[in-house]
Amino acid sequence: MPDADTPGPDEALQWLVDGNRRWVSGRLLHPHQTVARRLAVAAGQHPLATVFSCIDSRVPPEIVFDRGVGDLFVVRTAAQTNDGLIQGAVEYGAEEAVTPLVVVMGHQRCGAVTLAVDVLNNGTEVPAHLVDVVEALRPAYEAAAPLPGDQVENTVRAQTRLTVDQVRGDSLLAPLIAGHRTRVVGAYYSLDTGCVEFVLP
Ligand SMILES: [Zn+2]
């Protein structure tokens, strides 16, 4: 169970909001990136959030939230596609390490979503396990297909929404969420501005 020093979900979210503001403005603090911090967390960790986001090289969570060692659990897959192993990793962060916040973050011009949209629109063939990525994105593709506007961006946002729903519905996490011990939020990262928009608070 969290002790008195453990931040709550709202405090953890505010730390991420503040860190992202520093990233957007370029006034970075680079917190918790010293040898002293490394030594301080060597024996135990109390991260303030789990961030589940895309593998994209332009969206590293520790950097876009200006955090350091021991601050975040980070789970990354192509277009934050989910499965049992991934969900288990998110569960681990929330249940075993008691992180008070889970952020599911999609991003602008996601390459994996762009690929899936192309494949599903045009019947393009993809090799090997990229088929699995495309199939994992099919529900978001179908949810976004009727919407006006940019199909890739709509699919990114649908994928975030569906993944948030999956995480919120997790049998282990749902009671933690109901007890306000853990909060799950959706987010969208702009490659152009560096800004994280929390879209599903
Ligand atoms: Zn991506």
Side-chain angles (χ1 to χ4, degrees):
M1 289 296 292
D3 59 32
D5 295 331
T6 303
D10 295 345
E11 188 178 2
L13 182 59
Q14 191 59 50
W15 279 345
L16 295 187
V17 168
D18 292 345
N20 181 245
R21 285 201 183 116
R22 297 195 297 271
W23 168 244
V24 171
S25 69
R27 291 191 288 274
L28 296 161
L29 295 179
H30 302 295
H32 293 165
Q33 297 182 23
T34 61
V35 171
R37 173 64 170 177
R38 186 184 78 215
L39 296 173
V41 297
Q45 59 177 336
H46 300 283
L48 56 95
T50 299
V51 179
F52 178 16
S53 63
C54 182
I55 58 169
D56 195 292
S57 66
R58 300 163 293 181
V59 197
E62 285 92 343
I63 291 179
V64 306
F65 291 115
D66 192 27
R67 302 304 312 185
V69 172
D71 287 340
L72 301 175
F73 277 115
V74 175
V75 185
R76 300 177 70 176
T77 64
Q80 66 280 359
T81 43
N82 199 5
D83 68 10
L85 285 171
I86 302 300
Q87 190 97 358
V90 175
E91 286 177 352
Y92 178 83
E95 171 63 19
E96 296 299 320
V98 202
T99 59
L101 182 69
V102 178
V103 179
V104 178
M105 186 164 72
H107 70 94
Q108 187 180 28
R109 292 192 287 275
C110 180
V113 169
T114 302
L115 173 71
V117 166
D118 177 50
V119 168
L120 295 169
N121 276 349
N122 303 313
T124 316
E125 299 255 330
V126 286
H129 288 291
L130 288 177
V131 172
D132 299 331
V133 173
V134 171
E135 282 308 311
L137 288 167
R138 185 184 289 275
Y141 169 85
E142 291 176 348
L147 301 177
D150 187 297
Q151 191 180 14
V152 169
E153 295 306 304
N154 288 337
T155 305
V156 168
R157 290 176 182 273
Q159 172 62 9
T160 299
R161 188 171 64 251
L162 291 171
T163 307
V164 164
D165 288 346
Q166 288 171 355
V167 174
R168 284 178 177 167
D170 180 272
S171 62
L172 196 152
L173 296 181
L176 303 180
I177 296 166
H180 304 290
R181 206 185 90 178
T182 295
R183 185 173 168 189
V184 181
V185 299
Y188 176 89
Y189 178 78
S190 167
L191 295 177
D192 291 337
T193 67
C195 187
V196 174
E197 171 195 356
F198 287 94
V199 293
L200 291 167

